[in-house]
Amino acid sequence: MATGIVGEFLDLKAETDADVLAMQCGDFYEFFADDAELVADELDLSVSQKSSHGSSYPMAGVPLSELTPYVNALVERGYRVAVADQYETEGGDHAREVVRVVTPGTVLETSDDDARYLAAVVRADGDGPDGPYGVAFADVTTGRFLTTTVADGGDLRAELYRFDPAEVLPGPRVRNDDGLLGAVREDLSGRVTAFGAEAFAAGRAQHAVREQFGRETTDSVGLDSTLAVRAAGAVLSYVEETGAGVLASMTRLTAYGAADRVDVDATTQRNLEITETMRGDADGSLFDTVDHTVTAAGGRLLSEWLTRPRRDRETLADRLDAVEALASAALARDRLREVLGDAYDLERLAARTTSGSAGARELLSIRDTLTLLPALADAVDDTALADSPAVAVLGRVDRDRATALREELAEALAEDPPKAKKGGGLLKEGYDDELDGLIERHEAVNSWLDGLAEREKREHGLSHVTVDRNKTDGYYVQVGKSVADQVPEHYREIKTLKNSKRFVTDELAEKEREVLRLEEARGELEYELFEELRERVAERAELLQDAGRAVAELDALASLATHAARRDWTRPALTDERRLDVEAGRHPVVEGTTDFVPNDLRLDADRGFLIVTGPNMSGKSTYMRQAALIQLLAQAGSFVPARAAEVGLVDGIYTRVGALDELAQGRSTFMVEMQELSNILHSATADSLVILDEVGRGTATYDGISIAWAATEYLHNEVRARTLFATHYHELTTLADHLPRVENVHVAVDERDGEVTFLRTVRDGPTNRSYGVHVADLAGVPDPVVSRADEVLDRLREEKAIEARGGSRGGESGDGERSGGDGDTQQVVFDLSSGSFAGDGSDSGPGSGSVSRNGATAAESEPSAAATDSDTATTEPRAAAGESDAADPVERALDAETRAVIAELSDVDVAETPPVELLSRVQEWQERLD
Ligand code: ADP
């Protein structure tokens, strides 16, 4: 058992649940034993050995003043770090205690401007299948604090994904739900921390919330949901327990409900690349494109608007009014942005004053930012913005109180205070009489000391006299050796140096005592006064947050206006009608990087479901994402990239697009696809916008078509959501004949002399062919492969081996009952070695469907969708090759290699394999067969 300092360290460590402990030992913070090794590894500190009662322990340390960056670096890496400070006991001994645990969700000095949330999640008691859940989010760096209740695990994940918390506290039941916890871990980069279950208990949580906000606030924000309160209470307890000292800056708790926001699930947030691209980069995201904010708080708010779009028309109309006014008043806008550019981050400064970490410079920043308020008002009042909601934004700040605070700070703070909080220079002369008196006396003694050398020279006729001070000797008079024997009698020699001697006198000793006393008294009083001032500022945290919020709002609005003006965006007309009518719309991000061809879009009561066809790479995804992004921008209060747009408000935006990232994560694509589809079918309503970019590709063709078909019927007949559905199943275009609100559109191409030009223009009606081979050419697939693919494609067309059918399917009545296909589908085996077809539409089995598809990679050559009822067995493309059908005469005639190739062929999932890869595999098979 270690004793001494290491023993104390280990004891303290055992008492905390932190990963690492930093313990103050005099002028250093030390890490011992395992912690020293860990810190050394993570942060490149050097380790020494500390001997303690016969044992030796690794030890690493940092000076007191440098602890913060080290702790923050550890916290950035996901560790929770306890800090133990040293204090003096009454008996004069040193003792230590943990004063703070810095965690990813409670760290105050963060390295960027982004919001940084701590989240708590609690699940309802009882045996509900999956939820409901209460979830609360607090950004301790700004005091922002929100809570809500969500229906199930999917909604919970969407909410967590939106806030992307740095630390999550799962309540007792969530903690035991491996599935949910695993999913949350996968979605988020933040840390999951097990925090005492008691904090989530209803009684205790309620108490914590009331203590913090008062009963009235709690009642008035309508926190009737126990779950939301439980989550919020747990957050408060945790913040308190970690000693962050920011509870006072958490001035408000906002309860929000699902009804306020557009439901954008986690998958859709990812698909639409709102704050980061599918590859995980911030560059190239929607936010990155439209962000022209000049303050950190403005950037945070704009990001929040985009990630949490709204449903209430009034709020949106206000924002749009402001954006419109700002967009058309270029000069006033520039002036406003110029003033905003000087603003500091008041929300964060408020948190730092309440935590006690703000120094004089931070208070000066507050003063300077408050000084901007009149300038902001000027920038708005007498300009083209005078009648805009921008005025109301500023109006929400209590300007009189802001002025009072500004004046108070202006009177107190010195103009250029030092960084150090202690040691003088923080406050202005005239701020406090007692302090002024001390300063005066201190300076009088100092000037006496300054003049001493001269006086001594003169009085005693000495040359070479200096007066100085150091740690060991205190103040002394130093006299050159040559004249050292001429000093007067009252000089007492204290030291002999090579060329000089040092002396003190009684008077000097007396002045030294005085100067030290005054120095200390002055420093102490000044710091005390400063702390009082800071506390008075902290008491007005709410005022600072209001002012900070106003700055942020003006900044975000001006940013939207700036982008609208630069890119010629238009104000969307918001309506409650179920429609999305866009004239000459563009994709907000893509338009910045290419010569974009604008397109129209109309979705309304008669035309609620568009099937989008067109060759690969023609622009289907872009067209559909553009629709979703225009919808989202409109409901964030932004202008939209179009000549004109009428946008019916939606309650949710749901997308399902290619599952590249899931593939990378090693999950079964088809399973993921079906989960996403199922989620959409459950969540979407007649007021939602649904974007489906290929459905059913992850399985065999007939399965795929059936699923896509059924999903279309369901969305059209039951859900009635506005829907855009891009598909390579050409068969689905016939749905337009049967379902009244389904229409076809296609992205046009121009084909001349075998050369395909993408026109990027969306037209009514279905397309009739696919151009995968052309894309392979563009992608640089070797010429022989491309020309061979062309040959194969031609053959397929010539021989009409496979007909695209399915016209007779689909329940016109909408009752889901399907009529059978027209039956006589032709099935053939495509012989790769000869490039021709063998056999006909018998139940030939092995790889029949797949073979034809491989050579062609063309949607047009997809097998018919006649796979219904009695046809199902005969057209099943997944029948195992070379096994059950070995009795087939065609099959038996094949050699082993051919059969192997066919077996491989039948295993290929054409729909899921990129055309380029298919082509190269065709080439490989060809070589093996030759
Ligand atoms: P698809 O979904 O049909 O395979 P994409 O939507 O992925 O095609 O678009 C293919 C390429 O065409 C992308 O690089 C995209 O930037 C470009 N593109 C799409 N639509 C347009 C347009 N309207 N104007 C200009 N370029 C476009």
Side-chain angles (χ1 to χ4, degrees):
M1 199 49 223
T3 51
I5 200 104
V6 180
E8 197 178 339
F9 180 92
L10 295 176
D11 287 347
L12 276 177
K13 180 72 195 292
E15 284 166 26
T16 118
D17 59 355
D19 307 312
V20 187
L21 171 66
M23 185 173 89
Q24 184 185 1
C25 303
D27 293 338
F28 279 80
Y29 280 99
E30 302 285 1
F31 305 87
F32 292 105
D34 294 348
D35 290 13
E37 307 270 13
L38 184 148
V39 175
D41 274 356
E42 293 281 0
L43 306 178
D44 252 0
L45 274 182
S46 58
V47 179
S48 54
Q49 291 295 320
K50 167 86 180 171
S51 305
S52 176
H53 301 262
S55 308
S56 169
Y57 297 89
M59 166 172 103
V62 296
L64 283 195
S65 60
E66 283 169 35
L67 180 68
T68 306
Y70 281 100
V71 169
N72 288 349
L74 286 170
V75 172
E76 285 301 330
R77 288 166 169 75
Y79 294 104
R80 299 170 75 246
V81 185
V83 179
D85 281 358
Q86 176 177 310
Y87 63 97
E88 214 163 290
T89 60
E90 278 179 18
D93 289 336
H94 284 157
R96 295 165 182 97
E97 68 177 351
V98 172
V99 293
R100 167 93 164 98
V101 180
V102 190
T103 75
T106 61
V107 64
L108 282 172
E109 292 88 3
T110 63
S111 53
D112 57 34
D113 294 335
D114 298 345
R116 189 182 183 94
Y117 286 100
L118 165 69
V121 180
V122 58
R123 179 171 162 182
D125 299 324
D127 325 308
D130 176 22
Y133 297 88
V135 51
F137 299 94
D139 179 354
V140 302
T141 70
T142 63
R144 198 141 165 68
F145 191 14
L146 306 138
T147 185
T148 193
T149 311
V150 295
D152 56 30
D155 289 353
L156 174 67
R157 284 175 64 190
E159 214 53 23
L160 287 172
Y161 189 84
R162 191 165 296 145
F163 283 87
D164 193 18
E167 187 172 8
V168 180
L169 313 172
R173 293 196 69 200
V174 180
R175 205 173 302 168
N176 295 328
D177 185 341
D178 289 339
L180 179 66
L181 221 49
V184 167
R185 282 211 167 93
E186 203 170 287
D187 284 350
L188 303 176
S189 51
R191 171 194 169 113
V192 175
T193 301
F195 177 53
E198 327 78 64
F200 293 85
R204 188 161 149 195
Q206 226 148 34
H207 181 73
V209 172
R210 285 220 178 99
E211 282 283 287
Q212 177 75 16
F213 301 104
R215 191 178 211 116
E216 281 153 40
T217 323
T218 340
D219 295 346
S220 72
V221 293
L223 280 175
D224 44 9
S225 158
T226 325
L227 283 175
V229 172
R230 283 173 66 189
V235 164
L236 288 171
S237 304
Y238 188 68
V239 170
E240 172 149 44
E241 195 168 298
T242 56
V246 289
L247 279 184
S249 68
M250 297 171 71
T251 57
R252 291 186 194 103
L253 175 58
T254 310
Y256 66 97
D260 307 340
R261 311 278 163 184
V262 180
D263 187 13
V264 185
D265 60 19
T267 311
T268 300
Q269 293 175 53
R270 232 175 314 214
N271 287 342
L272 293 180
E273 308 193 307
I274 299 173
T275 52
E276 58 179 37
T277 63
M278 302 272 246
R279 267 182 281 123
D281 303 329
D283 286 358
S285 67
L286 177 68
F287 173 69
D288 176 55
T289 306
V290 302
D291 176 29
H292 304 282
T293 56
V294 292
T295 68
R300 285 197 299 270
L301 186 62
L302 181 60
S303 160
E304 189 183 311
W305 285 355
L306 293 176
T307 45
R308 306 176 65 218
R310 303 189 68 113
R311 284 160 65 177
D312 48 326
R313 196 121 72 83
E314 259 170 54
T315 310
L316 295 174
D318 269 355
R319 277 188 210 163
L320 287 169
D321 283 346
V323 174
E324 183 166 8
L326 285 159
S328 54
L331 270 183
R333 184 178 73 236
D334 287 349
R335 171 72 195 131
L336 181 68
R337 295 179 72 223
E338 199 181 307
V339 180
L340 286 170
D342 290 334
Y344 294 95
D345 197 336
L346 283 181
E347 290 173 307
R348 285 216 169 152
L349 287 166
R352 298 199 54 186
T353 53
T354 57
S355 74
S357 63
R361 287 167 176 233
E362 277 78 23
L363 296 196
L364 265 189
S365 300
I366 291 177
R367 180 200 70 182
D368 292 345
T369 308
L370 293 174
T371 310
L372 297 178
L373 291 176
L376 285 174
D378 286 346
V380 169
D381 284 344
D382 295 324
T383 66
L385 305 174
D387 296 324
S388 75
V391 179
V393 171
L394 274 176
R396 285 199 287 274
V397 185
D398 186 334
R399 292 267 292 283
D400 292 340
R401 289 186 68 212
T403 309
L405 177 55
R406 186 196 76 215
E407 281 168 2
E408 194 174 332
L409 288 171
E411 274 161 28
L413 294 166
E415 214 39 64
D416 191 13
K419 251 192 187 152
K421 286 180 197 158
K422 298 186 178 162
L426 306 179
L427 299 173
K428 242 185 200 160
E429 203 187 319
Y431 176 62
D432 181 84
D433 290 345
E434 192 186 343
L435 179 64
D436 285 350
L438 281 174
I439 292 174
E440 201 177 311
R441 283 159 58 202
H442 183 216
E443 270 159 18
V445 187
N446 269 336
S447 80
W448 184 91
L449 287 163
D450 287 347
L452 182 60
E454 276 311 307
R455 289 197 301 278
E456 294 300 294
K457 275 191 211 164
R458 232 181 307 125
E459 242 167 76
H460 306 293
L462 300 169
S463 54
H464 303 104
V465 180
T466 50
V467 172
D468 218 337
R469 152 196 210 183
N470 70 20
K471 254 198 177 150
T472 43
D473 301 334
Y475 279 94
Y476 52 82
V477 181
Q478 188 160 306
V479 179
K481 258 217 175 123
S482 56
V483 292
D485 48 359
Q486 298 165 24
V487 301
E489 263 178 28
H490 66 278
Y491 273 37
R492 271 180 288 119
E493 185 179 325
I494 54 166
K495 202 175 243 175
T496 302
L497 304 164
K498 199 171 157 216
N499 297 317
S500 58
K501 286 188 172 185
R502 285 180 186 171
F503 303 90
V504 291
T505 67
D506 289 345
E507 195 183 17
L508 182 57
E510 169 58 32
K511 293 288 183 196
E512 175 177 339
R513 279 192 295 277
E514 199 177 338
V515 93
L516 291 178
R517 209 180 56 229
L518 285 167
E519 219 169 64
E520 190 180 321
R522 175 186 171 171
E524 267 175 20
L525 178 62
E526 189 183 60
Y527 192 64
E528 212 174 282
L529 289 168
F530 175 76
E531 278 189 317
E532 283 170 20
L533 176 69
R534 187 171 60 200
E535 269 163 39
R536 287 200 303 278
V537 178
E539 281 162 17
R540 278 166 279 186
E542 199 167 348
L543 171 71
L544 295 178
Q545 287 166 349
D546 285 345
R549 179 80 183 183
V551 165
E553 246 182 271
L554 286 177
D555 193 17
L557 291 167
S559 169
L560 288 176
T562 303
H563 196 74
R566 283 190 195 165
R567 292 242 168 252
D568 200 15
W569 285 13
T570 189
R571 177 178 179 148
L574 302 183
T575 159
D576 290 328
E577 274 175 54
R578 292 180 175 158
R579 62 189 300 133
L580 177 59
D581 202 341
V582 179
E583 194 184 311
R586 285 111 55 200
H587 186 293
V589 178
V590 180
E591 73 163 338
T593 55
T594 49
D595 212 355
F596 200 85
V597 180
N599 272 305
D600 297 344
L601 166 70
R602 185 164 61 81
L603 283 166
D604 57 27
D606 305 329
R607 183 184 149 100
F609 194 114
L610 297 186
I611 293 182
V612 186
T613 43
N616 278 339
M617 290 301 286
S618 61
K620 299 184 297 296
S621 302
T622 309
Y623 181 67
M624 296 198 302
R625 280 159 191 257
Q626 165 184 323
L629 289 170
I630 286 175
Q631 182 77 49
L632 184 132
L633 282 166
Q635 292 196 257
S638 168
F639 276 26
V640 297
R643 185 159 49 206
E646 198 177 341
V647 180
L649 297 179
V650 297
D651 60 2
I653 302 175
Y654 304 94
T655 64
R656 136 91 224 137
V657 303
L660 277 180
D661 48 343
E662 276 88 5
L663 259 189
Q665 284 168 18
R667 282 192 278 170
S668 149
T669 325
F670 183 60
M671 193 60 193
V672 171
E673 184 182 336
M674 286 303 109
Q675 277 167 356
E676 288 183 8
L677 182 64
S678 141
N679 181 40
I680 293 175
L681 297 179
H682 280 121
S683 313
T685 73
D687 284 315
S688 309
L689 178 65
V690 173
I691 304 290
L692 302 172
D693 196 350
E694 304 286 8
V695 165
R697 292 196 79 162
T699 185
T701 306
Y702 298 118
D703 278 358
I705 292 179
S706 314
I707 290 166
W709 192 284
T712 302
E713 284 178 352
Y714 188 78
L715 278 167
H716 177 273
N717 297 334
E718 308 294 329
V719 178
R720 306 180 70 83
R722 268 151 275 176
T723 306
L724 289 167
F725 182 5
T727 181
H728 76 302
Y729 293 131
H730 197 241
E731 295 83 352
L732 295 182
T733 58
T734 58
L735 274 164
D737 303 334
H738 307 286
L739 299 174
R741 291 164 50 250
V742 171
E743 300 276 342
N744 285 304
V745 297
H746 68 279
V747 192
V749 291
D750 191 18
E751 192 185 12
R752 249 171 260 163
D753 308 328
E755 281 294 307
V756 172
T757 315
F758 290 128
L759 300 178
R760 313 279 183 222
T761 301
V762 177
R763 297 194 181 137
D764 281 349
T767 183
N768 54 358
R769 41 181 312 198
S770 173
Y771 298 77
V773 177
H774 175 70
V775 174
D777 191 11
L778 285 182
V781 173
D783 284 348
V785 183
V786 174
S787 47
R788 177 65 186 143
D790 262 331
E791 264 172 57
V792 172
L793 192 58
D794 284 345
R795 268 243 144 71
L796 283 167
R797 288 196 188 117
E798 248 167 56
E799 306 215 359
K800 286 206 167 64
I802 302 295
E803 288 179 351
R805 247 188 258 271
S808 58
R809 311 181 71 211
E812 277 147 286
S813 55
D815 59 7
E817 195 186 285
R818 301 197 191 123
S819 53
D822 54 359
D824 56 349
T825 314
Q826 223 181 339
Q827 291 289 324
V828 290
V829 175
F830 177 60
D831 180 352
L832 279 171
S833 56
S834 70
S836 64
F837 292 88
D840 64 10
S842 68
D843 57 341
S844 52
S848 57
S850 324
V851 177
S852 55
R853 275 176 285 142
N854 276 299
T857 69
E860 144 176 315
S861 59
E862 289 290 359
S864 150
T868 51
D869 308 333
S870 59
D871 291 333
T872 310
T874 60
T875 54
E876 175 54 61
R878 282 291 191 183
E883 288 170 19
S884 54
D885 291 286
D888 186 307
V890 180
E891 186 77 359
R892 259 181 287 129
L894 300 173
D895 65 22
E897 185 67 21
T898 310
R899 286 170 63 155
V901 168
I902 289 178
E904 276 177 41
L905 271 170
S906 67
D907 280 343
V908 168
D909 192 337
V910 182
E912 267 311 308
T913 316
V916 174
E917 187 186 326
L918 277 179
L919 286 167
S920 71
R921 296 187 69 176
V922 168
Q923 190 181 31
E924 180 210 319
W925 287 320
Q926 181 107 49
E927 278 161 11
R928 280 163 61 189
L929 293 174
D930 278 349

